[in-house]
Amino acid sequence: MQIRGGGYRDASIAMAKALRTELSRVGPGGGTDPTDALLIAIQLKPQAIVVLSDGEFEPEIVERVSGLNRNSGLNAQINCVAIGQSIRTLQLLASLNGPGNYVEAP
């Protein structure tokens, strides 16, 4: 799912409140597949992307996203915050992109 409006947002208090409201409407749904979200993020050509996930997705997704990131010409740094037990895919995603940073949420 994509936050309404997409694209970059101003780093303001008002925008933070609006984002908090949007995120409060999202419930757990299972079936993690971050491919579409990461592809949208890469198309924006940012310097860095942050992924917050349980990491429960196929390693092939990491390879696909990493290849597209490299081929974008920018090779954005993908930073990963792990929540849960399946951390190997997130560690790999961070190491192949940038390299990014990997942390585990308490």
Side-chain angles (χ1 to χ4, degrees):
M1 92 184 299
Q2 184 176 1
I3 300 297
R4 280 184 268 171
Y8 291 108
R9 306 284 176 100
D10 293 332
S12 67
I13 301 262
M15 219 18 99
K17 288 179 182 177
L19 181 59
R20 181 175 293 192
T21 300
E22 287 278 332
L23 292 174
S24 71
R25 296 180 182 139
V26 177
T32 303
D33 183 349
T35 305
D36 290 342
L38 287 169
L39 296 181
I40 289 168
I42 290 168
Q43 288 173 0
L44 294 171
K45 298 201 180 287
Q47 292 180 338
I49 297 168
V50 177
V51 175
L52 176 66
S53 176
D54 60 8
E56 292 186 21
F57 51 87
E58 298 299 320
E60 292 80 21
I61 291 172
V62 173
E63 295 299 325
R64 179 173 180 221
V65 167
S66 298
L68 291 169
N69 188 24
R70 282 190 295 278
N71 292 335
S72 74
L74 185 62
N75 194 27
Q77 180 185 54
I78 299 181
N79 301 295
C80 298
V81 179
I83 299 174
Q85 303 292 322
S86 299
I87 59 175
R88 294 186 89 82
T89 52
L90 294 173
Q91 289 171 328
L92 183 60
L93 184 62
S95 70
L96 292 176
N97 293 278
N101 298 298
Y102 167 82
V103 295
E104 295 176 18

